[in-house]
PDB file of all heavy atoms in Angstrom:
ATOM      1  N   ALA A 224     -69.161  24.074 138.585  1.00  0.00           N
ATOM      2  CA  ALA A 224     -68.464  23.995 139.875  1.00  0.00           C
ATOM      3  C   ALA A 224     -69.215  24.784 140.948  1.00  0.00           C
ATOM      4  O   ALA A 224     -69.139  24.461 142.138  1.00  0.00           O
ATOM      5  CB  ALA A 224     -67.045  24.525 139.745  1.00  0.00           C
ATOM      6  N   LYS A 225     -69.954  25.800 140.501  1.00  0.00           N
ATOM      7  CA  LYS A 225     -70.712  26.627 141.438  1.00  0.00           C
ATOM      8  C   LYS A 225     -72.212  26.334 141.371  1.00  0.00           C
ATOM      9  O   LYS A 225     -73.001  27.034 142.014  1.00  0.00           O
ATOM     10  CB  LYS A 225     -70.477  28.111 141.142  1.00  0.00           C
ATOM     11  CG  LYS A 225     -69.045  28.558 141.378  1.00  0.00           C
ATOM     12  CD  LYS A 225     -68.888  30.053 141.139  1.00  0.00           C
ATOM     13  CE  LYS A 225     -67.463  30.490 141.430  1.00  0.00           C
ATOM     14  NZ  LYS A 225     -67.264  31.950 141.204  1.00  0.00           N
ATOM     15  N   ASN A 226     -72.594  25.324 140.586  1.00  0.00           N
ATOM     16  CA  ASN A 226     -74.021  24.991 140.415  1.00  0.00           C
ATOM     17  C   ASN A 226     -74.831  26.239 140.069  1.00  0.00           C
ATOM     18  O   ASN A 226     -75.906  26.493 140.629  1.00  0.00           O
ATOM     19  CB  ASN A 226     -74.595  24.362 141.686  1.00  0.00           C
ATOM     20  CG  ASN A 226     -74.099  22.940 141.898  1.00  0.00           C
ATOM     21  OD1 ASN A 226     -73.609  22.280 140.989  1.00  0.00           O
ATOM     22  ND2 ASN A 226     -74.211  22.460 143.133  1.00  0.00           N
ATOM     23  N   SER A 227     -74.317  26.996 139.122  1.00  0.00           N
ATOM     24  CA  SER A 227     -74.943  28.283 138.810  1.00  0.00           C
ATOM     25  C   SER A 227     -75.116  28.511 137.320  1.00  0.00           C
ATOM     26  O   SER A 227     -74.275  28.098 136.510  1.00  0.00           O
ATOM     27  CB  SER A 227     -74.132  29.436 139.397  1.00  0.00           C
ATOM     28  OG  SER A 227     -74.189  29.423 140.815  1.00  0.00           O
ATOM     29  N   LEU A 228     -76.211  29.185 137.002  1.00  0.00           N
ATOM     30  CA  LEU A 228     -76.536  29.603 135.642  1.00  0.00           C
ATOM     31  C   LEU A 228     -76.523  31.116 135.617  1.00  0.00           C
ATOM     32  O   LEU A 228     -76.899  31.764 136.607  1.00  0.00           O
ATOM     33  CB  LEU A 228     -77.927  29.080 135.261  1.00  0.00           C
ATOM     34  CG  LEU A 228     -78.481  29.474 133.900  1.00  0.00           C
ATOM     35  CD1 LEU A 228     -77.750  28.710 132.796  1.00  0.00           C
ATOM     36  CD2 LEU A 228     -79.986  29.185 133.841  1.00  0.00           C
ATOM     37  N   TYR A 229     -76.096  31.681 134.488  1.00  0.00           N
ATOM     38  CA  TYR A 229     -76.001  33.132 134.387  1.00  0.00           C
ATOM     39  C   TYR A 229     -76.662  33.636 133.111  1.00  0.00           C
ATOM     40  O   TYR A 229     -76.801  32.908 132.130  1.00  0.00           O
ATOM     41  CB  TYR A 229     -74.544  33.578 134.400  1.00  0.00           C
ATOM     42  CG  TYR A 229     -73.770  33.087 135.591  1.00  0.00           C
ATOM     43  CD1 TYR A 229     -72.901  32.009 135.485  1.00  0.00           C
ATOM     44  CD2 TYR A 229     -73.917  33.686 136.840  1.00  0.00           C
ATOM     45  CE1 TYR A 229     -72.197  31.540 136.578  1.00  0.00           C
ATOM     46  CE2 TYR A 229     -73.222  33.225 137.944  1.00  0.00           C
ATOM     47  CZ  TYR A 229     -72.364  32.145 137.805  1.00  0.00           C
ATOM     48  OH  TYR A 229     -71.672  31.683 138.899  1.00  0.00           O
ATOM     49  N   LEU A 230     -77.057  34.900 133.148  1.00  0.00           N
ATOM     50  CA  LEU A 230     -77.528  35.587 131.952  1.00  0.00           C
ATOM     51  C   LEU A 230     -76.928  36.978 131.961  1.00  0.00           C
ATOM     52  O   LEU A 230     -77.293  37.817 132.792  1.00  0.00           O
ATOM     53  CB  LEU A 230     -79.055  35.661 131.912  1.00  0.00           C
ATOM     54  CG  LEU A 230     -79.625  36.246 130.613  1.00  0.00           C
ATOM     55  CD1 LEU A 230     -79.360  35.291 129.440  1.00  0.00           C
ATOM     56  CD2 LEU A 230     -81.132  36.512 130.741  1.00  0.00           C
ATOM     57  N   GLN A 231     -75.980  37.211 131.064  1.00  0.00           N
ATOM     58  CA  GLN A 231     -75.387  38.534 130.900  1.00  0.00           C
ATOM     59  C   GLN A 231     -76.224  39.317 129.905  1.00  0.00           C
ATOM     60  O   GLN A 231     -76.397  38.887 128.761  1.00  0.00           O
ATOM     61  CB  GLN A 231     -73.948  38.410 130.397  1.00  0.00           C
ATOM     62  CG  GLN A 231     -73.272  39.737 130.131  1.00  0.00           C
ATOM     63  CD  GLN A 231     -73.042  40.544 131.402  1.00  0.00           C
ATOM     64  OE1 GLN A 231     -72.651  40.001 132.425  1.00  0.00           O
ATOM     65  NE2 GLN A 231     -73.301  41.847 131.330  1.00  0.00           N
ATOM     66  N   MET A 232     -76.767  40.420 130.338  1.00  0.00           N
ATOM     67  CA  MET A 232     -77.661  41.210 129.508  1.00  0.00           C
ATOM     68  C   MET A 232     -77.014  42.562 129.208  1.00  0.00           C
ATOM     69  O   MET A 232     -76.774  43.350 130.128  1.00  0.00           O
ATOM     70  CB  MET A 232     -79.000  41.402 130.230  1.00  0.00           C
ATOM     71  CG  MET A 232     -79.672  40.097 130.644  1.00  0.00           C
ATOM     72  SD  MET A 232     -81.305  40.327 131.337  1.00  0.00           S
ATOM     73  CE  MET A 232     -80.889  41.196 132.820  1.00  0.00           C
ATOM     74  N   ASN A 233     -76.720  42.796 127.954  1.00  0.00           N
ATOM     75  CA  ASN A 233     -76.115  44.058 127.518  1.00  0.00           C
ATOM     76  C   ASN A 233     -77.099  44.853 126.675  1.00  0.00           C
ATOM     77  O   ASN A 233     -78.089  44.325 126.188  1.00  0.00           O
ATOM     78  CB  ASN A 233     -74.846  43.776 126.713  1.00  0.00           C
ATOM     79  CG  ASN A 233     -73.789  43.062 127.518  1.00  0.00           C
ATOM     80  OD1 ASN A 233     -73.711  43.189 128.737  1.00  0.00           O
ATOM     81  ND2 ASN A 233     -72.956  42.288 126.825  1.00  0.00           N
ATOM     82  N   SER A 234     -76.793  46.137 126.502  1.00  0.00           N
ATOM     83  CA  SER A 234     -77.628  47.016 125.661  1.00  0.00           C
ATOM     84  C   SER A 234     -79.105  46.857 125.999  1.00  0.00           C
ATOM     85  O   SER A 234     -79.951  46.660 125.117  1.00  0.00           O
ATOM     86  CB  SER A 234     -77.386  46.705 124.181  1.00  0.00           C
ATOM     87  OG  SER A 234     -76.027  46.842 123.848  1.00  0.00           O
ATOM     88  N   LEU A 235     -79.413  46.953 127.273  1.00  0.00           N
ATOM     89  CA  LEU A 235     -80.782  46.727 127.719  1.00  0.00           C
ATOM     90  C   LEU A 235     -81.739  47.771 127.168  1.00  0.00           C
ATOM     91  O   LEU A 235     -81.397  48.950 127.001  1.00  0.00           O
ATOM     92  CB  LEU A 235     -80.833  46.693 129.253  1.00  0.00           C
ATOM     93  CG  LEU A 235     -80.362  45.362 129.862  1.00  0.00           C
ATOM     94  CD1 LEU A 235     -80.015  45.521 131.324  1.00  0.00           C
ATOM     95  CD2 LEU A 235     -81.425  44.286 129.663  1.00  0.00           C
ATOM     96  N   ARG A 236     -82.940  47.319 126.888  1.00  0.00           N
ATOM     97  CA  ARG A 236     -83.994  48.165 126.341  1.00  0.00           C
ATOM     98  C   ARG A 236     -85.203  48.144 127.283  1.00  0.00           C
ATOM     99  O   ARG A 236     -85.363  47.220 128.080  1.00  0.00           O
ATOM    100  CB  ARG A 236     -84.415  47.647 124.969  1.00  0.00           C
ATOM    101  CG  ARG A 236     -83.297  47.471 123.973  1.00  0.00           C
ATOM    102  CD  ARG A 236     -83.755  46.669 122.779  1.00  0.00           C
ATOM    103  NE  ARG A 236     -82.698  46.493 121.786  1.00  0.00           N
ATOM    104  CZ  ARG A 236     -82.756  45.636 120.774  1.00  0.00           C
ATOM    105  NH1 ARG A 236     -83.843  44.894 120.615  1.00  0.00           N
ATOM    106  NH2 ARG A 236     -81.753  45.540 119.922  1.00  0.00           N
ATOM    107  N   ALA A 237     -86.065  49.118 127.126  1.00  0.00           N
ATOM    108  CA  ALA A 237     -87.272  49.176 127.954  1.00  0.00           C
ATOM    109  C   ALA A 237     -88.096  47.899 127.814  1.00  0.00           C
ATOM    110  O   ALA A 237     -88.688  47.408 128.788  1.00  0.00           O
ATOM    111  CB  ALA A 237     -88.112  50.389 127.579  1.00  0.00           C
ATOM    112  N   GLU A 238     -88.097  47.338 126.619  1.00  0.00           N
ATOM    113  CA  GLU A 238     -88.886  46.126 126.378  1.00  0.00           C
ATOM    114  C   GLU A 238     -88.294  44.866 127.000  1.00  0.00           C
ATOM    115  O   GLU A 238     -88.904  43.796 126.935  1.00  0.00           O
ATOM    116  CB  GLU A 238     -89.120  45.911 124.881  1.00  0.00           C
ATOM    117  CG  GLU A 238     -87.864  45.918 124.031  1.00  0.00           C
ATOM    118  CD  GLU A 238     -87.575  47.280 123.425  1.00  0.00           C
ATOM    119  OE1 GLU A 238     -87.807  48.320 124.100  1.00  0.00           O
ATOM    120  OE2 GLU A 238     -87.066  47.309 122.270  1.00  0.00           O
ATOM    121  N   ASP A 239     -87.103  44.984 127.596  1.00  0.00           N
ATOM    122  CA  ASP A 239     -86.532  43.865 128.349  1.00  0.00           C
ATOM    123  C   ASP A 239     -87.045  43.837 129.781  1.00  0.00           C
ATOM    124  O   ASP A 239     -86.729  42.907 130.530  1.00  0.00           O
ATOM    125  CB  ASP A 239     -85.004  43.959 128.365  1.00  0.00           C
ATOM    126  CG  ASP A 239     -84.388  43.805 126.985  1.00  0.00           C
ATOM    127  OD1 ASP A 239     -84.866  42.944 126.222  1.00  0.00           O
ATOM    128  OD2 ASP A 239     -83.441  44.559 126.675  1.00  0.00           O
ATOM    129  N   THR A 240     -87.807  44.842 130.164  1.00  0.00           N
ATOM    130  CA  THR A 240     -88.399  44.858 131.501  1.00  0.00           C
ATOM    131  C   THR A 240     -89.299  43.648 131.669  1.00  0.00           C
ATOM    132  O   THR A 240     -90.250  43.456 130.902  1.00  0.00           O
ATOM    133  CB  THR A 240     -89.216  46.142 131.712  1.00  0.00           C
ATOM    134  OG1 THR A 240     -88.342  47.265 131.708  1.00  0.00           O
ATOM    135  CG2 THR A 240     -89.980  46.090 133.030  1.00  0.00           C
ATOM    136  N   ALA A 241     -88.984  42.807 132.662  1.00  0.00           N
ATOM    137  CA  ALA A 241     -89.713  41.551 132.822  1.00  0.00           C
ATOM    138  C   ALA A 241     -89.277  40.859 134.102  1.00  0.00           C
ATOM    139  O   ALA A 241     -88.261  41.214 134.712  1.00  0.00           O
ATOM    140  CB  ALA A 241     -89.453  40.625 131.633  1.00  0.00           C
ATOM    141  N   LEU A 242     -90.046  39.862 134.472  1.00  0.00           N
ATOM    142  CA  LEU A 242     -89.654  38.928 135.517  1.00  0.00           C
ATOM    143  C   LEU A 242     -88.934  37.784 134.829  1.00  0.00           C
ATOM    144  O   LEU A 242     -89.497  37.153 133.923  1.00  0.00           O
ATOM    145  CB  LEU A 242     -90.889  38.432 136.264  1.00  0.00           C
ATOM    146  CG  LEU A 242     -90.670  37.534 137.485  1.00  0.00           C
ATOM    147  CD1 LEU A 242     -89.906  38.281 138.577  1.00  0.00           C
ATOM    148  CD2 LEU A 242     -92.016  37.063 138.019  1.00  0.00           C
ATOM    149  N   TYR A 243     -87.692  37.550 135.216  1.00  0.00           N
ATOM    150  CA  TYR A 243     -86.864  36.539 134.578  1.00  0.00           C
ATOM    151  C   TYR A 243     -86.814  35.281 135.441  1.00  0.00           C
ATOM    152  O   TYR A 243     -86.431  35.337 136.619  1.00  0.00           O
ATOM    153  CB  TYR A 243     -85.442  37.074 134.346  1.00  0.00           C
ATOM    154  CG  TYR A 243     -85.386  38.049 133.194  1.00  0.00           C
ATOM    155  CD1 TYR A 243     -85.881  39.346 133.319  1.00  0.00           C
ATOM    156  CD2 TYR A 243     -84.839  37.666 131.964  1.00  0.00           C
ATOM    157  CE1 TYR A 243     -85.855  40.238 132.253  1.00  0.00           C
ATOM    158  CE2 TYR A 243     -84.798  38.545 130.894  1.00  0.00           C
ATOM    159  CZ  TYR A 243     -85.312  39.827 131.050  1.00  0.00           C
ATOM    160  OH  TYR A 243     -85.278  40.711 129.991  1.00  0.00           O
ATOM    161  N   TYR A 244     -87.193  34.153 134.824  1.00  0.00           N
ATOM    162  CA  TYR A 244     -87.186  32.865 135.497  1.00  0.00           C
ATOM    163  C   TYR A 244     -86.029  31.998 134.976  1.00  0.00           C
ATOM    164  O   TYR A 244     -85.757  31.966 133.770  1.00  0.00           O
ATOM    165  CB  TYR A 244     -88.474  32.094 135.224  1.00  0.00           C
ATOM    166  CG  TYR A 244     -89.735  32.695 135.775  1.00  0.00           C
ATOM    167  CD1 TYR A 244     -90.607  33.405 134.948  1.00  0.00           C
ATOM    168  CD2 TYR A 244     -90.093  32.525 137.107  1.00  0.00           C
ATOM    169  CE1 TYR A 244     -91.794  33.926 135.435  1.00  0.00           C
ATOM    170  CE2 TYR A 244     -91.282  33.036 137.604  1.00  0.00           C
ATOM    171  CZ  TYR A 244     -92.121  33.744 136.761  1.00  0.00           C
ATOM    172  OH  TYR A 244     -93.298  34.259 137.247  1.00  0.00           O
ATOM    173  N   CYS A 245     -85.445  31.272 135.885  1.00  0.00           N
ATOM    174  CA  CYS A 245     -84.488  30.229 135.567  1.00  0.00           C
ATOM    175  C   CYS A 245     -85.272  28.913 135.566  1.00  0.00           C
ATOM    176  O   CYS A 245     -86.144  28.713 136.431  1.00  0.00           O
ATOM    177  CB  CYS A 245     -83.414  30.246 136.655  1.00  0.00           C
ATOM    178  SG  CYS A 245     -82.319  28.855 136.761  1.00  0.00           S
ATOM    179  N   ALA A 246     -85.012  28.033 134.592  1.00  0.00           N
ATOM    180  CA  ALA A 246     -85.767  26.783 134.506  1.00  0.00           C
ATOM    181  C   ALA A 246     -84.857  25.626 134.141  1.00  0.00           C
ATOM    182  O   ALA A 246     -83.955  25.770 133.310  1.00  0.00           O
ATOM    183  CB  ALA A 246     -86.885  26.917 133.467  1.00  0.00           C
TER     184      ALA A 246
END
Side-chain angles (χ1 to χ4, degrees):
Chain A
K225 295 183 178 180
N226 287 342
S227 292
L228 177 73
Y229 305 102
L230 186 68
Q231 177 67 42
M232 304 186 294
N233 298 332
S234 303
L235 281 162
R236 306 167 179 167
E238 53 265 37
D239 295 319
T240 294
L242 185 63
Y243 285 74
Y244 295 101
C245 166

